[in-house]
Amino acid sequence: MGLRERKKQQTYLAVSDVAIALFLEKGFDNVPVAEVAAAAGISKPTLFRYFPAKEDLALHRFSDHEDEAARVVAQGRTEGLAPLPALRRHFLAGLDGRDPVTGLNDDPRVRAYHGLLYGTPSLVARLFAYQSRAEGALAAALGEDIGARLAAGQIVAVQRILAEENWRRIQAGESAEEVYAGAVTAAEEAFEQLREGLGRYA
């Protein structure tokens, strides 16, 4: 990455961090874009060059994961792994590492962020757009035919449901340590169900 791209990425992250802090403090719907721009020290038009929609200010962290499943499949193939075993291994490693994307993270900052995300209807709706792009990238990695698209849809849905269940239990008061064993069991069962139904991708 060149200097220009690094500076752009640094600005991108800094503006989003300012926005998320304001959203957590005041609520997403109570913070106008102009206030975010002012707090970040940039103009509103500049902000929109980085973030086309207000929701993207809060969801940029998910953009880094849009092609993650596709990358996992590609890496697995270099190791001789079929797509599903590679994705299963990656998800279980995420649970073990308390990756926030798996929902299994009880850090107060992560909990607050997830509360903002899942408690704001417009952010939930925008999140589905991110997940749709992740599904498309995975389908392309699997082959892009109808079978690949169906498989990608099922895999992305399973990972989303597993993460939401982990987050739900943590929001209800359990610690990540308390949820971990059940999360692993649920993931193993879910991927086994996928294995039974996905044929050539398993």
Side-chain angles (χ1 to χ4, degrees):
M1 185 182 293
L3 178 60
R4 184 177 179 180
E5 284 302 310
R6 284 201 302 272
K7 289 182 67 176
K8 183 177 179 181
Q9 183 69 8
Q10 287 169 357
T11 301
Y12 185 81
L13 294 173
V15 172
S16 180
D17 286 346
V18 167
I20 290 172
L22 287 170
F23 297 154
L24 289 172
E25 178 187 353
K26 301 181 179 182
F28 179 81
D29 295 326
N30 298 323
V31 180
V33 171
E35 182 176 351
V36 175
I42 60 174
S43 68
K44 189 174 174 180
T46 298
L47 183 147
F48 278 123
R49 285 202 295 272
Y50 286 94
F51 301 93
K54 179 183 176 183
E55 289 78 9
D56 294 326
L57 286 159
L59 290 170
H60 85 91
R61 297 171 184 180
F62 285 89
S63 66
D64 295 336
H65 296 278
E66 282 186 14
D67 64 346
E68 184 172 318
R71 286 187 277 110
V72 169
V73 167
Q75 178 60 36
R77 284 180 174 140
T78 68
E79 301 173 19
L81 276 178
L84 195 61
L87 290 164
R88 171 188 169 277
R89 181 181 68 179
H90 182 73
F91 191 85
L92 290 173
L95 291 176
D96 188 56
R98 305 299 190 262
D99 188 333
V101 171
T102 68
L104 191 66
N105 188 300
D106 54 8
D107 183 289
R109 294 166 298 179
V110 174
R111 289 185 61 181
Y113 175 73
H114 281 169
L116 169 72
L117 171 60
Y118 293 113
T120 308
S122 61
L123 292 178
V124 173
R126 189 73 171 179
L127 179 58
F128 276 104
Y130 280 76
Q131 291 174 334
S132 179
R133 290 194 290 272
E135 185 180 310
L138 178 56
L142 294 175
E144 286 193 323
D145 59 8
I146 185 63
R149 287 161 54 199
L150 288 168
Q154 292 176 68
I155 291 166
V156 169
V158 161
Q159 292 182 331
R160 173 181 58 80
I161 291 167
L162 289 170
E164 287 177 352
E165 175 62 12
N166 295 336
W167 176 80
R168 183 196 65 77
R169 291 181 62 184
I170 286 174
Q171 284 296 94
E174 295 183 72
S175 69
E177 189 62 33
E178 290 169 330
V179 175
Y180 176 71
V184 169
T185 298
E188 294 279 22
E189 291 176 352
F191 277 94
E192 178 59 23
Q193 289 181 30
L194 285 170
R195 187 191 66 78
E196 292 173 357
L198 291 184
R200 62 192 169 111
Y201 306 106

